[in-house]
Amino acid sequence: MAAYELKSGITAICPATINPARALGIEKAHGQITEGALSNLLILDQDLNIKDIIFEGQVLSL
């Protein structure tokens, strides 16, 4: 069941991440979480409170 949820979550975020980056031709640096990519992420808890912010690959202080 967990593998299904992970696959489902990955499928769900593609329209907001890698697909737009590909359309703009910037998918090597944006739209994915990989080494060398510029990652912008919000890490949320179960209540949707912000736990961490990652901007251009750097963790910001809250």
Side-chain angles (χ1 to χ4, degrees):
M1 180 114 171
Y4 174 78
E5 291 173 4
L6 177 61
K7 182 177 179 183
S8 183
I10 290 170
T11 302
I13 64 169
C14 286
T17 58
I18 193 66
N19 292 349
R22 282 186 186 133
L24 295 170
I26 58 172
E27 70 274 9
K28 291 186 181 186
H30 298 278
Q32 54 189 322
I33 305 171
T34 59
E35 187 175 342
L38 298 174
S39 299
N40 299 320
L41 304 167
L42 288 177
I43 310 300
L44 307 173
D45 65 15
Q46 291 181 338
D47 297 320
L48 302 179
N49 297 308
I50 298 173
K51 302 308 284 180
D52 285 306
I53 300 170
I54 302 173
F55 181 73
E56 295 185 351
Q58 301 296 315
V59 178
L60 303 180
S61 299
L62 295 179

